[in-house]
Amino acid sequence: MAYDYSRYLRNEKLPHIWCPGCTYGIVLKSFIRAIDGLGWDKNDIVVASGIGCCSRLPGYVDFNTLHTTHGRSIAFATGVKIANPDLKVIALGGDGDMTAIGGNHFIHACRRNIDITVLVFNNNIYGMTGAQYSPTTPKGAWATTAPYGMPENNFDVVNLAIGAGATFVARTTAYHTTHCEKMIKEALQHKGLSVVEIINACPTGFGRKNKFKTPTSMLLWMKDKAVQKAKADRMSSEELADKFVIGVLHKEEKPEFIESYDSTVGLKKGE
């Protein structure tokens, strides 16, 4: 029997706006299955987004949702979580939204270890606003603002999150649909700031300029370049040179921000 996604969707908002070949619909399905697997009440879930293609996702899901300003999803999510710590709060955005315009919110949320899950939809480009390069555009890749190739070094979202203090960091791809569901589910269950980088395809903004002839070729690139962490641990740095590792890449226990704040100022839950 086919999975019934409609239970979690605002079906009156469909069809979605994403381009043919965009992988955000695949991730949307993994996201829904992850939440369904946890059995959470839809009324207890808050999803906040900024501006960009993936930031339209909250409009399609039947949770409490916020479509906010560019780069500010984590700021809004932080306010919601502090106002009602019992809510399950998720902030999502693209690579530009999270690591450029919202970069400061991203690193300081990691540093504070507030109990929010952050989903970074990394398609290596500002897709909605005209295919300008973002902080994750690979060096040498083409964008409308890099007609001779990207001259800058790119961010590694995973290492950025770990370095800033996030206590759960994972990476997955839109190709690995069940793995994507698993990573999101584990992140949602983590106490503290959890980050999942989800490698996505933007065939319209990135693929056409970078010799990906079809959307399928971008998915096959993910399949070819991704290495599960258990296998990567047995590979040499030379063997991993043109690969990226997927899985749970960092996990630790640290005091959560709101609990630490309440303890510091002498508050206890319910007072």
Side-chain angles (χ1 to χ4, degrees):
M1 182 176 178
Y3 187 92
D4 181 15
Y5 294 96
S6 65
R7 294 176 295 146
Y8 291 93
L9 293 172
R10 294 172 176 146
N11 294 291
E12 71 278 12
K13 299 293 185 182
L14 300 174
H16 59 70
I17 65 158
W18 297 317
C19 298
C22 172
T23 51
Y24 288 168
I26 299 172
V27 178
L28 169 61
K29 288 186 170 182
S30 295
F31 176 63
I32 287 174
R33 293 195 305 274
I35 288 177
D36 184 49
L38 293 170
W40 288 355
D41 188 323
K42 292 193 289 185
N43 294 316
D44 293 335
I45 300 169
V46 178
V47 184
S49 69
I51 298 295
C53 296
C54 74
S55 290
R56 297 301 297 265
L57 188 151
Y60 304 134
V61 290
D62 188 24
F63 305 131
N64 301 293
T65 58
L66 292 165
H67 188 201
T68 72
T69 47
H70 212 170
R72 306 295 179 250
S73 63
I74 292 177
F76 280 85
T78 298
V80 170
K81 188 68 181 180
I82 291 174
N84 187 348
D86 291 332
L87 292 171
K88 317 292 187 186
V89 181
I90 302 153
L92 60 85
D95 40 286
D97 203 38
M98 285 293 184
T99 65
I101 297 169
N104 268 322
H105 296 298
F106 182 79
I107 60 174
H108 291 293
C110 292
R111 175 178 63 84
R112 294 185 184 109
N113 195 35
I114 189 168
D115 189 23
I116 292 172
T117 296
V118 178
L119 304 180
V120 182
F121 289 57
N122 183 5
N123 62 7
N124 302 129
I125 206 85
Y126 281 96
M128 177 176 281
T129 56
Q132 301 93 339
Y133 69 74
S134 81
T136 66
T137 302
K139 193 171 187 177
W142 277 268
T144 54
T145 47
Y148 303 104
M150 175 63 164
E152 302 173 8
N153 297 315
N154 56 290
F155 268 148
D156 181 315
V157 174
V158 163
N159 286 334
L160 178 65
I162 295 172
T167 50
F168 179 101
V169 183
R171 181 189 287 126
T172 186
T173 84
Y175 174 83
H176 300 82
T177 56
T178 55
H179 185 266
C180 183
E181 173 188 342
K182 183 173 185 289
M183 292 299 100
I184 294 173
K185 188 176 180 180
E186 287 192 33
L188 292 171
Q189 293 175 288
H190 179 76
K191 183 73 170 181
L193 197 287
S194 54
V195 176
V196 182
E197 180 191 19
I198 307 168
I199 306 298
N200 273 280
C202 177
T204 303
F206 186 85
R208 289 174 178 173
K209 294 179 176 59
N210 289 282
K211 300 179 180 178
F212 288 100
K213 294 183 177 179
T214 66
T216 303
S217 66
M218 301 189 79
L219 285 166
L220 293 175
W221 178 88
M222 295 178 203
K223 177 186 177 184
D224 179 56
K225 299 298 182 183
V227 180
Q228 295 275 356
K229 186 177 185 305
K231 181 179 180 181
D233 289 342
R234 301 190 299 272
M235 296 172 65
S236 67
S237 56
E238 290 77 15
E239 291 172 318
L240 288 169
D242 66 340
K243 308 287 187 182
F244 61 85
V245 183
I246 60 174
V248 177
L249 305 176
H250 178 74
K251 187 174 182 179
E252 64 176 317
E253 301 295 328
K254 279 185 178 179
E256 192 273 334
F257 169 70
I258 295 175
E259 292 178 353
S260 295
Y261 179 86
D262 288 351
S263 175
T264 300
V265 301
L267 292 174
K268 293 181 180 178
K269 188 177 180 181
E271 292 182 346

